[in-house]
Amino acid sequence: MNYMAEAQQCEELWEIQCELRAQPQSSPCHLDARSSCSRAGVGLIIMRRRKIAVAAAFCLSFFIGTLLNLLCAPVGFHHHQEQRRLQDETDAASLRPLLQQLRERYEEVLRYRDHRATPPPTSARLLRPLERRLMDLAQPQPKWESNKVKRGSVSPALGNNKIDVSLRSPRLGCQDIRNGSDVRYLGSGYTKAVYKSLLNGSVSVALKSVDFGGHDIQNCVRHYGTLEDCYRLASFKILKEMILLQRLQHPNILQLYGYCYQDSNDISDTLTTITELGSPLEMIQLLQTPWEDRFRICLSLVRLLHYLAHSPLGSITLLDFRPRQFVVVDGELKVTDLDDASMDETPCISHTDCFLEFPARNFTLQCSAEGKCQNMNEKRNLYNAYRFFFTYLLPHSAPSSLRPLLDVIVNATGELRWGVNEALVQLEKVFYLYQSGLYLPNVTDIPKGEYKEVPHAVVAEEDYRCWPSYHHTGCLLSVFDLNEAKDVCRSHSQCQAFVWTNQTTWTGRPLVFFKTGSRTLVSALDKTTYLKLTG
């Protein structure tokens, strides 16, 4: 030990000092030296031991602190991990219904693209098609087999969101949209917003895209808090509509011109479709139009429903059948919204499963041997046509000789005694009778009155109002021939003349202006005036 060496050195120094003083070994000098060195060694030993004790205490406290940390830290760590796990499970449970809807909508788009039938339901309870709302986010969903759903985007689980749905090369695309001008907002519904755009300075088209401020997006975001996935869910409806607009080709279905994928609202590959532009169907305004134009709307509708009942995809039903789902293009009715259309036939076990429910009427259809409700899709379409269109547009102000036949059509469709085939046959019959003039009474003994023909002349003013008229301040009606024009003039007490114009209606019938007099007769090369003679 070092302190032993230091004590020995101390004694040697004292001995040297004693020898220098010539003191013997037993002298007090040597005894004092040994005593002093012994006390110094003892003090040194005590001081060294204190240092060792302090160091040991420090090491022991450090060891105990470290041990306590090691013993206590896992408890807090596991608690934090447990909280994270519970939060992840909560997030997964909350997003699982959204993922389920995304998968269902994705598979539905692929089914329509590939034209596959819907797999039979596994549930014992058969849902009626009207119970199914494509954007019903509040509906409880079955559990997914995967629990690895995290808070955030779940749509990557579906693979590539940009689905190839083009069955033919589109005529218009992104560059045409960018080059468009005079873009104006037209309106929106639950899912889509519609804009009008002028392309190449001459052609007006409709642009459809998901409405980020619409009911579907807002309701979805409130439930799930993920804008991108809610957009994907809504965009699948546009994808489905695109496929149907390509597969279903008919004069009374809106034309699809093209589409464009582009980034918007920090979301990649947002979809915009480019379609034919039409005018919204305003029922109040339509009720004020001449019967001939209202009949055209009904005839267009039945021709469309006949096509949908026998389409290449099978029988198609319009689940959201309302006037706002249609537009008018050059007088023709065209369906514009097909995102809620369905080609699924309702399965059944008995007739009670084929229950067709409407606000004012219910029907029970037949269950076929194949386990499908017979003609349910077309019957649903036909009854909706009756309650939204036929009952308002067909009978009122129709030619008197056609009203009995029109009443039969309205009653038969309202009772669903007919299918769409018979309804089309009867409306085509009315069209033929009207266009050919066979609806006119074959009466020759009624005096028509005498008229003076004035070629290349027109009565400029002297108008009166009649209803329904093609002119809002005058009496402009269509007639089959000159005799019918004379009959109309004879039936109007104000009529003293009429002007045969060079204009015709969609049926080819001439338009005639009826006048109260002829004082303002002026030259007009393409018109002929007939003046009623008195006396």
Side-chain angles (χ1 to χ4, degrees):
M1 298 293 290
N2 290 335
Y3 64 87
M4 295 297 294
E6 291 176 359
Q8 186 177 358
Q9 289 178 0
C10 177
E11 290 180 1
E12 289 176 355
L13 289 174
W14 274 99
E15 287 179 357
I16 292 173
Q17 290 179 2
C18 290
E19 289 176 357
L20 291 175
R21 297 175 183 175
Q23 297 289 333
Q25 287 291 328
S26 59
S27 66
C29 178
H30 288 280
L31 294 175
D32 292 340
R34 292 188 185 97
S35 177
S36 298
C37 289
S38 177
R39 288 195 302 270
V42 172
L44 185 61
I45 291 172
I46 292 174
M47 185 173 61
R48 289 294 178 89
R49 286 180 176 176
R50 287 176 179 173
K51 290 182 178 180
I52 292 173
V54 171
F58 176 77
C59 291
L60 181 62
S61 63
F62 179 77
F63 173 76
I64 294 174
T66 304
L67 183 62
L68 289 175
N69 286 336
L70 291 175
L71 292 175
C72 297
V75 176
F77 178 74
H78 286 312
H79 178 71
H80 179 68
Q81 287 292 93
E82 182 67 15
Q83 285 184 330
R84 288 289 301 273
R85 186 183 67 81
L86 293 175
Q87 183 63 41
D88 288 344
E89 289 182 357
T90 303
D91 292 344
S94 64
L95 287 178
R96 206 168 293 128
L98 176 60
L99 179 58
Q100 174 74 6
Q101 291 184 76
L102 282 165
R103 286 187 182 272
E104 289 177 352
R105 195 73 59 79
Y106 178 81
E107 291 168 358
E108 182 184 37
V109 168
L110 296 184
R111 271 198 306 111
Y112 278 84
R113 186 191 67 178
D114 303 334
H115 188 196
R116 300 194 305 269
T118 307
T122 57
S123 174
R125 179 178 180 266
L126 300 174
L127 294 180
R128 302 172 196 154
L130 285 181
E131 294 179 5
R132 179 171 175 264
R133 177 75 177 101
L134 290 178
M135 204 61 179
D136 186 7
L137 300 178
Q139 180 179 354
Q141 300 293 337
K143 292 184 178 180
W144 246 153
E145 68 277 5
S146 173
N147 291 323
K148 298 179 180 179
V149 184
K150 305 290 185 182
R151 173 65 67 182
S153 179
V154 298
S155 55
L158 303 178
N160 184 12
N161 294 316
K162 187 175 178 180
I163 305 175
D164 181 16
V165 296
S166 181
L167 304 179
R168 61 184 62 85
S169 298
R171 287 182 279 174
L172 300 175
C174 295
Q175 188 62 40
D176 298 285
I177 292 180
R178 285 190 286 267
N179 293 339
S181 60
D182 193 24
V183 179
R184 288 186 290 168
Y185 171 78
L186 295 181
S188 60
Y190 275 87
T191 307
K192 300 185 292 283
V194 184
Y195 298 85
K196 175 184 177 182
S197 180
L198 185 65
L199 303 185
N200 302 321
S202 58
V203 180
S204 292
V205 298
L207 305 178
K208 290 185 179 182
S209 59
V210 172
D211 184 7
F212 284 90
H215 172 273
D216 283 346
I217 289 286
Q218 294 299 312
N219 195 30
C220 176
V221 171
R222 280 196 301 270
H223 275 78
Y224 304 111
T226 164
L227 177 61
E228 180 176 358
D229 294 315
C230 288
Y231 170 81
R232 299 299 172 201
L233 185 65
S235 68
F236 283 141
K237 299 181 76 172
I238 297 185
L239 284 168
K240 175 187 171 183
E241 183 173 273
M242 281 179 55
I243 293 172
L244 289 174
L245 289 177
Q246 292 178 91
R247 286 197 174 275
L248 304 177
Q249 299 293 307
H250 189 266
N252 298 112
I253 296 178
L254 210 66
Q255 293 187 58
L256 177 70
Y257 294 147
Y259 60 92
C260 170
Y261 281 104
Q262 57 188 348
D263 297 345
S264 177
N265 288 68
D266 297 326
I267 298 177
S268 62
D269 295 330
T270 62
L271 177 62
T272 301
T273 59
I274 312 170
T275 68
E276 186 177 14
L277 180 67
S279 302
L281 186 65
E282 301 290 346
M283 291 300 293
I284 300 299
Q285 181 180 351
L286 192 59
L287 290 171
Q288 301 173 5
T289 60
W291 176 84
E292 188 174 333
D293 287 350
R294 287 184 275 120
F295 175 76
R296 184 182 188 182
I297 295 295
C298 295
L299 181 60
S300 299
L301 179 57
V302 172
R303 287 172 174 172
L304 168 66
L305 299 187
H306 181 268
Y307 173 78
L308 293 179
H310 308 283
S311 81
L313 301 179
S315 182
I316 303 290
T317 187
L318 304 177
L319 296 177
D320 190 11
F321 195 117
R322 291 175 296 169
R324 63 179 299 175
Q325 309 300 324
F326 299 87
V327 295
V328 178
V329 180
D330 297 328
E332 284 283 328
L333 183 74
K334 297 195 176 190
V335 63
T336 178
D337 286 340
L338 290 174
D339 52 349
D340 284 335
S342 175
M343 65 180 183
D344 300 336
E345 295 283 357
T346 304
C348 59
I349 298 174
S350 65
H351 300 328
T352 56
D353 297 323
C354 302
F355 189 70
L356 201 53
E357 186 176 4
F358 296 97
R361 264 315 280 276
N362 299 325
F363 301 91
T364 300
L365 305 182
Q366 298 295 309
C367 180
S368 68
E370 294 78 18
K372 298 291 180 65
C373 295
Q374 291 184 358
N375 304 321
M376 177 168 275
N377 284 350
E378 74 167 83
K379 289 293 182 70
R380 179 184 293 108
N381 288 342
L382 190 59
Y383 188 81
N384 279 324
Y386 155 79
R387 71 189 187 107
F388 284 117
F389 290 89
F390 297 165
T391 188
Y392 300 110
L393 304 181
L394 271 182
H396 307 295
S397 71
S400 57
S401 59
L402 293 177
R403 286 176 190 169
L405 181 54
L406 293 173
D407 289 337
V408 170
I409 294 173
V410 171
N411 293 331
T413 54
E415 297 291 334
L416 286 186
R417 296 197 307 268
W418 292 349
V420 71
N421 293 345
E422 184 63 24
L424 178 61
V425 167
Q426 296 300 323
L427 279 174
E428 293 285 4
K429 178 181 178 180
V430 173
F431 176 57
Y432 170 73
L433 294 174
Y434 184 73
Q435 188 178 38
S436 64
L438 294 176
Y439 73 96
L440 294 172
N442 188 17
V443 179
T444 58
D445 57 349
I446 299 179
K448 300 291 192 300
E450 296 296 328
Y451 289 85
K452 177 183 178 182
E453 180 180 344
V454 184
H456 311 304
V458 62
V459 179
E461 299 177 2
E462 302 178 71
D463 292 314
Y464 66 93
R465 292 184 178 181
C466 65
W467 188 86
S469 172
Y470 284 93
H471 195 277
H472 66 283
T473 61
C475 187
L476 180 63
L477 304 176
S478 72
V479 297
F480 175 71
D481 56 12
L482 185 59
N483 284 332
E484 186 178 12
K486 292 179 180 179
D487 285 339
V488 171
C489 189
R490 179 178 56 84
S491 64
H492 293 179
S493 59
Q494 310 98 310
C495 181
Q496 297 299 318
F498 59 87
V499 178
W500 197 275
T501 71
N502 61 346
Q503 297 173 290
T504 58
T505 64
W506 65 279
T507 60
R509 292 162 57 94
L511 286 174
V512 175
F513 255 120
F514 294 89
K515 304 285 185 174
T516 60
S518 57
R519 294 186 301 274
T520 56
L521 195 65
V522 296
S523 175
L525 296 178
D526 55 352
K527 295 179 177 62
T528 300
T529 296
Y530 293 84
L531 306 178
K532 182 185 289 188
L533 299 178
T534 58

